Amino acid sequence: MELEMAADELKSVLNRLRRAQGQIAGIIRMIEEGRDCEDVITQLAAVSRALDRAGFAIIATGLQHCMAEGGQAAGDRDRDRDRMRARLEKLFLSLA
């Protein structure tokens, strides 16, 4: 499955990932400075959510493209749809 995203979708995902990147840098500094464990864990949870959202956005876009595809023979389309469904399910579960 190729990553085909519209410019606005791609921009949103990249913004989430850049935000997570900045949060990770902040967490590293917090640990180096000996900051409170609760603060570090709170930031780790925020990064985890940001990464999950980026992943789900990518998967959702893949699903949207898959559902929009047509023009194939019914049998081929069904087999392709089943394969894509299995791949998307595996990706969703990898984020769970």
Side-chain angles (χ1 to χ4, degrees):
M1 175 171 49
E2 292 181 25
L3 183 58
E4 295 179 16
M5 300 178 80
D8 57 334
E9 295 167 334
L10 183 60
K11 183 178 179 180
S12 174
V13 169
L14 289 174
N15 284 340
R16 286 182 193 274
L17 292 173
R18 286 187 182 105
R19 193 174 318 123
Q21 184 179 34
Q23 287 174 306
I24 290 170
I27 292 167
I28 292 169
R29 279 191 306 277
M30 291 172 73
I31 292 170
E32 290 173 344
E33 295 169 359
R35 296 275 300 273
D36 182 65
C37 179
E38 187 175 340
D39 293 340
V40 172
I41 298 300
T42 299
Q43 289 304 308
L44 282 171
V47 168
S48 179
R49 285 190 303 273
L51 292 174
D52 286 346
R53 287 184 185 124
F56 284 127
I58 291 169
I59 293 169
T61 299
L63 179 60
Q64 183 179 20
H65 287 282
C66 173
M67 300 298 281
E69 287 180 1
Q72 295 175 308
D76 290 341
R77 190 172 45 240
D78 290 343
R79 277 190 297 280
D80 287 347
R81 190 177 321 142
D82 289 345
R83 271 189 246 128
M84 182 61 73
R85 183 193 164 283
R87 291 172 72 187
L88 289 168
E89 182 178 338
K90 183 178 178 180
L91 288 171
F92 269 115
L93 291 174
S94 72
L95 291 174

